Amino acid sequence: MINTDNQKRILILTAQFGAGHISAARAIKDDILEKDSNCEIIIENFIDASIPMINKPMVKFYENNTKYTPGFYNYYYYLKKSFDSRHDIAHKMYTPKLSKYILQTKPDLIISTFPLAAACVYNFKVKNPDIHLPSITVITDVVDSLEWTFPSTDMYFVPSSEIKNRFVQKGMNPDSIKVTGVPINKAFYCDKKESSPNKYRLLLVGGGRGLFDIDEDCMHWIDDFISNHSDKIEVTIVTGSNEKLYDNLKSKKPLSNIKVLGFVNDMFNLIKEHDLLLTKPGGATLFEAIHSQTPVIVRLPKLGQEIENAKFIIDKGIGLLYNDCDDLKEIFMKIASGDFNSNIDFMQYNIKDLKNSIHADKIGEYALELINNKS
């Protein structure tokens, strides 16, 4: 089964449910190739490799579910959080054809960045006990949900030492758990933050789809507010692929004091150039901010994994949470008054401390060691 030539072949299984799983896969690929350029690395959407016709409908269902019925989504999410993943049958519809794909691909290692993909790999290994195939699961949010864990998984990459501790408490082998943070593009890495004295640069981001947690009225309040505090605050909004919002903010009801950008290819530069990031609490976004040493401001979320990420922000002191636009207004007023200096110093210190506890630079090393030890 295992590839017999000298080139190591690594299969990374991911999914399109949010951008974080795919961006983690790409970051892992980059780091492995940096350590060993002779590797062949295949990134594959596990649904495309099994039942491709349902990928788009499933992604659409996920987007609508998280947007319109978060309560239903959370019920299922928290059910899986404490449910023994071995008894979850959701993956069984994908496993037969994905198993054939694995047999055809003949990888030396499988890495999963989505829990259902990890479940399929577990099922494959149970049904093929004579095939010696190591596997890694990469947890892309700050969660300890059991949906990510399976007895046959050889190694886990987890976001933080707290998550490792929780998994050890649940009976997992601590040697199998590596604290790497959520893998991200190294272009976000920043050792030193250049700040403008007494002036804060805020970046407002709504993800690739440009779905913000504040409405346009709140954006216009910010625009009016900074017209009187331009010496203290500078704001940029990135609307992503949300062309309607971009058109509204640029033409129909234009903002006068906020810089409006559409879809950008250099988000890493933008985040590093700003002092604060107002965004959604996704796992990848959170660690992009951490590695760029940019404190975050996020709205109290409604979705399970984002709620856990938000708790992490509070516990680590790396950002602020707000409930609504009125709360956000108070934060802007505090920034303009000059009372925010101690807050940002506190958060940046905590970010530096957190970065010292994760080993993102060892991702490729861990993966290659696992292949070599199992061969």
Side-chain angles (χ1 to χ4, degrees), residues 2 15 43 87 146 168 236:
I2 293 180
I43 296 177
H87 304 310
L146 291 180
V168 171
T236 300

Side-chain angles (χ1 to χ4, degrees), residues 3 19 28 58 83 109 157 162 175 177 184 210 214 242 265 296 306 315-316 361:
N3 186 24
I28 293 165
M58 288 295 289
F83 184 73
L109 170 68
F157 294 165
E162 289 84 359
D175 293 337
I177 307 170
I184 61 157
I214 59 173
N242 191 335
N265 293 311
V296 294
E306 292 186 350
D315 290 342
K316 287 297 184 181
D361 58 324

Side-chain angles (χ1 to χ4, degrees), residues 40-278:
E40 177 190 0
I41 301 179
I42 303 165
I43 296 177
E44 183 62 57
N45 181 336
F46 85 100
I47 299 180
D48 282 342
S50 53
I51 315 175
M53 67 179 66
I54 71 169
N55 184 59
K56 286 187 177 179
M58 288 295 289
V59 171
K60 190 66 176 178
F61 174 76
Y62 166 81
E63 291 175 351
N64 288 337
N65 193 7
T66 55
K67 184 177 181 180
Y68 299 112
T69 56
F72 176 75
Y73 175 87
N74 284 347
Y75 175 80
Y76 185 55
Y77 173 82
Y78 283 108
L79 180 66
K80 292 187 296 179
K81 189 176 189 299
S82 56
F83 184 73
D84 189 329
S85 55
R86 292 173 296 177
H87 304 310
D88 187 354
I89 63 171
H91 65 278
K92 292 187 181 294
M93 64 186 292
Y94 306 105
T95 301
K97 290 189 176 180
L98 185 60
S99 294
K100 290 181 181 178
Y101 175 79
I102 293 171
L103 290 169
Q104 292 169 355
T105 306
K106 297 181 179 179
D108 297 289
L109 170 68
I110 297 183
I111 302 174
S112 302
T113 69
F114 190 73
L116 266 181
C120 292
V121 174
Y122 163 71
N123 194 266
F124 172 85
K125 293 172 81 170
V126 168
K127 292 186 176 181
N128 297 275
D130 296 331
I131 296 176
H132 197 50
L133 178 60
S135 61
I136 297 174
T137 294
V138 184
I139 299 177
T140 55
D141 288 291
V142 192
V143 298
D144 61 344
S145 175
L146 291 180
E147 68 172 329
W148 289 95
T149 64
F150 296 91
S152 64
T153 303
D154 297 276
M155 186 178 291
Y156 295 88
F157 294 165
V158 302
S160 72
S161 56
E162 289 84 359
I163 297 302
K164 177 175 181 173
N165 294 342
R166 291 182 206 168
F167 279 137
V168 171
Q169 181 66 28
K170 293 177 181 181
M172 293 171 59
N173 181 355
D175 293 337
S176 70
I177 307 170
K178 308 300 182 183
V179 180
T180 62
V182 175
I184 61 157
N185 189 325
K186 289 186 178 179
F188 286 94
Y189 286 19
C190 176
D191 292 326
K192 187 177 181 181
K193 195 82 169 178
E194 298 294 336
S195 301
S196 300
N198 301 316
K199 185 172 184 177
Y200 290 100
R201 301 160 298 177
L202 278 75
L203 182 65
L204 276 64
V205 177
R209 292 187 290 157
L211 301 177
F212 289 81
D213 286 328
I214 59 173
D215 57 24
E216 289 183 45
D217 288 340
C218 193
M219 293 177 187
H220 279 278
W221 181 90
I222 295 171
D223 189 57
D224 292 338
F225 180 78
I226 62 175
S227 66
N228 297 318
H229 301 90
S230 58
D231 59 326
K232 296 289 186 182
I233 306 175
E234 178 183 311
V235 178
T236 300
I237 290 179
V238 181
T239 63
S241 58
N242 191 335
E243 295 179 0
K244 180 180 179 181
L245 178 61
Y246 180 81
D247 186 49
N248 287 348
L249 300 181
K250 289 286 286 186
S251 302
K252 292 184 178 178
K253 194 176 178 184
L255 300 175
S256 304
N257 305 289
I258 295 177
K259 184 178 182 180
V260 180
L261 302 175
F263 190 86
V264 299
N265 293 311
D266 63 339
M267 184 61 74
F268 47 89
N269 282 329
L270 285 171
I271 293 181
K272 288 189 288 188
E273 291 168 359
H274 287 77
D275 304 298
L276 291 162
L277 178 63
L278 181 61

Side-chain angles (χ1 to χ4, degrees), residues 302-320:
K302 297 178 180 178
L303 299 180
Q305 69 272 19
E306 292 186 350
I307 293 171
E308 301 304 314
N309 292 341
K311 291 177 182 177
F312 179 72
I313 292 170
I314 295 172
D315 290 342
K316 287 297 184 181
I318 59 175
L320 296 174

